[in-house]
Amino acid sequence: MVVSVLVLVLGCVAPEASVEPSSARDSAPQPATPDSGRAPPPAVPLPLDAVDLDPADDVVHVELVADEATFTIGDLQVQGYAYNGQVPGPTIRARRGDTIVVELVNQLDVDTTIHWHGLHVPWAMDGVTWMSAPVAPGERFTYTFELDQAGTYWYHPHFDTQHQVDAGLYGAFVVLDPDDPPVDRDLVFVFDSWLEADDPHAHHGIDGADLEWTANGAAGGALALAAGEVVRARLLNASNTGYLDLRWDDIRHVGSDQGLRSALGTPDRLLLAPGDRADVEWLVGAEFSVLNHPYSLAGGVALGGPELVLSIASDGGPAPDGAAWPFDGAPPSPDPGHADIVYVLQGDPLEDAWFINGEQFPEVTIAEVDLDEDIVIEVRNLSASEHPFHLHGHAFEVLSRDEVPVTEREVEDNINVPIQGSLRLAVRADNPGDWMTHCHVLPHADGGMMTVLRVGEPSEP
Ligand code: C2O
Ligand code: CU
């Protein structure tokens, strides 16, 4: 069992943020309830260092060294992998319009790559090994591309993905929009799940109750903020298989996978499937807790009680309204009621064999569309598991769920498809190349639930 040693980890902390020291407990696991009277967490080094942005320089350079690493989750020692010795890897920050230059240094003894999840990169920079070679041990590769989007993205290997991401290779990639309203604090929380077992890499069961969640590498972290601050927090679910079903009071959901939403969302829960991001915002008032409810990808609610994943303390005061965000109020595009491409998801959980249209990657039929064609993709889930559907190199707009048109514009690159559910998604195929499209439950992708969408003329990357 993972013992709930409490550590505090936070992203991008400004000097006035307070971190209360305390002694770590090494007793039996404590029930994770918001009122369990936990001791304040000890201070630990901040893992999510931001790249300093030079206002005069629109080229951002980052070096990411992939290497083996030993780190701790609770009292568990994990023999894993890390970028620059930290899990999560460094948060990359840049502005829309900047050019990013990332030097990957592979110090692992296996091949690896980096994929830029959600970003519209040129195909040759996408980090997939469909037609290009991975980066061999001891080698380097320079990824470079221009950022024409703003929002919360992430990066991870796309080679032996299930294993390498699970081992700790992932990080957040924040693209700031110069037009976004200013906030006092722009935080990143990267969530991952670990099995409460001696082998943290053992396959997760479909029951969500056996997972221990960490935010920025820490279980049950706490963060103290000054009342009156406007905080934007970027949440990323980097888990291979675990769904986050987060609840807290007065959530203001301001951004999804592809930047700001068209309208403010005030949901009573936030479901983040593997690969999903959500930006939330609040004006710091009274303290509050973020709870995660066990969630099974075999159909939702699972056994077990909620787990405290984060608590936010403040120096008091009522919670006033948050900052005004410049939502554009754009209505959703109409659902034409039919699709150009249909992906049917099926699988055999016992065999870990997963199919799109009856095929298993890499033995797949390539769907082809013209460059700059507007297409509709329909995804139908006929399996006994939920699947987060992800498309590389493009964003998509959700048109309908189960044939019912959505009422609010939603632009994503990763979206959960419930059991027996169907989604219609609009895609402008404006990025030429052979793009992977797959389930982001990584054992499902590695088990075959991945195919290729070819945009434009086929060519070598
Ligand atoms: Cu986040 Cu093909 O992956
Ligand atoms: Cu899946």
Side-chain angles (χ1 to χ4, degrees), residues 115 117 128 154 156 158 275 390 392 414 436 438 440 442 450:
H115 166 61
H117 183 126
V128 299
W154 63 302
H156 62 76
H158 224 281
H390 171 51
H392 285 208
N414 200 91
M436 300 297 123
H438 61 88
H440 220 285
L442 297 177
M450 177 148 76

